[in-house]
Amino acid sequence: MAGSDPIAGPLDALRSRFFEGRVIPAHPLALDANRTLDVRRQRALSRYYLDAGAGGLAVGVHTTQFAIREAGLFERVLSLAAEEARTWTRLPEAAATGAPILVSGACGDTRQAIREARVARELGYDCALLSLAAMRGESDDALIAHCEAVADAIPLVGFYLQPAVGGIALSADFWARFAAIERVVAIKVAPFDRYRTLDVVRGVVASRAERRVALYTGNDDHIVLDLVTPFAVERGGEAVEVRFAGGLLGHWSVWTEGAVRLFARLREAVRSGAPLPADLARLDSRVTDCNAAFFDVANGFAGCIAGCHQVLANQGLLAGTWCLDPAEELSPGQARQIERVCREHADLADDAFVACHLDRWLSPS
């Protein structure tokens, strides 16, 4: 019950920050040609997101590459982002968003996930985005016990990772039980599937958690529509309306200042109560077209991380597209598709913003 937790006050404050609605990019990993950590560019990425007006940073998640654990980089990468979030003097317009929410990734079996959650908490992270991919084949009872154990270490953001990149199918009943965990503050809904997206919404409503657990879209294939769609779910003979409060997206690791501008327009359109303007509705297919190129949909998402790196490298934020796994690279034809969408949807980009501030972000101070 609310109030039974000794940190219920901070939990409620964290929930309020999620419900405010935020743009949270999933932070990539900056490597040099030797596939070792490029600290200067890693810091530059964090500074870019903070100055772009992002309301949080998600670090140690899929876009950061899960392999940072095996490479011994997990704590180092989290520490760099946390330090920049604490010390970087943001542009005045970006500072108006308030303190960024720091979201750490957590994955693996229960022992590993708890260990990662404790590391994140010690570094000042607010919550953990919990991947259940390593728990494939476990029962719902085992999954919920796992989630409760990790939640004891740090507040949780649920993560419905799409099966194409390692996620597991999770039912509405699971999400109802998950949303009932007191220290759950949000859910990133990223199955890239409308039916499974509705399962999360139904589960949250069934547990009467719609005012306690914020929904964040991770459906990079439907960003705009997720953020403007009212989801209506019946409970006890009455329709309950639920909306996504914001987004936590790998797609928003690029063109982030453009994403902040777009999010502000979408939020204002929703608040107005008026029908969605046609120009905003058309943006859904345009953003999805960009995502298809960045995420390498044509090749089953094989180049999804390298694709985001390509956009950042084109802007000078990264030195190249290198991933920890040498086999993880751009797919044949993907660079050409990225060039096309950058040309056709240039108004969604933030090239001028990046060019204006790049030297500042890359500076040693």
Side-chain angles (χ1 to χ4, degrees), residues 27-43 45 64 68 71-78 80 324:
H27 204 306
L29 179 69
L31 299 176
D32 61 23
N34 295 317
R35 303 185 194 277
T36 58
L37 180 64
D38 186 333
V39 173
R40 184 171 70 115
R41 292 185 182 276
Q42 191 70 22
R43 290 186 183 277
L45 284 176
T64 323
I68 60 172
L73 293 174
F74 179 77
E75 185 169 353
R76 178 65 169 142
V77 169
L78 262 64
L80 288 170
L324 288 169

Side-chain angles (χ1 to χ4, degrees), residues 266-347:
L266 296 175
R267 185 161 56 174
E268 182 57 35
V270 169
R271 287 175 175 172
S272 75
L276 186 69
D279 65 318
L280 281 183
R282 282 193 291 269
L283 281 174
D284 185 67
S285 61
R286 295 183 61 209
V287 172
T288 302
D289 187 30
C290 294
N291 184 257
F294 301 162
F295 273 36
D296 194 27
V297 173
N299 296 286
F301 303 96
C304 62
I305 294 176
C308 293
H309 288 185
Q310 179 70 39
V311 179
L312 294 168
N314 288 345
Q315 293 181 316
L317 281 156
L318 291 182
T321 64
W322 306 290
C323 296
L324 288 169
D325 181 355
E328 206 166 347
E329 57 186 5
L330 291 173
S331 294
Q334 187 181 1
R336 185 169 62 253
Q337 286 302 311
I338 290 173
E339 291 173 4
R340 176 187 66 80
V341 298
C342 287
R343 181 178 64 252
E344 294 179 2
H345 307 294
D347 58 309

Side-chain angles (χ1 to χ4, degrees), residues 196-258:
R196 289 172 175 166
T197 294
L198 285 170
D199 282 342
V200 181
V201 176
R202 287 173 49 228
V204 169
V205 171
S207 67
R208 299 184 177 274
E210 68 273 9
R211 295 185 183 277
R212 188 175 58 79
V213 176
L215 296 181
Y216 269 58
T217 182
N219 287 321
D220 302 73
D221 62 338
H222 254 303
I223 297 170
V224 172
L225 285 186
D226 267 1
L227 291 172
V228 298
T229 299
F231 291 83
V233 178
E234 183 175 301
R235 182 179 65 206
E238 296 183 357
V240 178
E241 184 177 292
V242 177
R243 289 184 178 271
F244 282 91
L248 196 169
L249 295 151
H251 183 95
W252 281 353
S253 69
V254 305
W255 294 358
T256 310
E257 191 264 348

Side-chain angles (χ1 to χ4, degrees), residues 157-172:
V157 176
F159 187 13
Y160 202 165
L161 176 65
Q162 63 158 321
V165 292
I168 58 178
L170 297 162
S171 68

Side-chain angles (χ1 to χ4, degrees), residues 3 16 48 60 74 95 122-123 141 160 177 190 207 236 239 263 267 323:
S16 295
Y48 160 50
F74 179 77
E122 289 172 1
L123 291 172
D141 287 346
Y160 202 165
R177 294 178 64 183
S207 67
F263 181 67
R267 185 161 56 174
C323 296

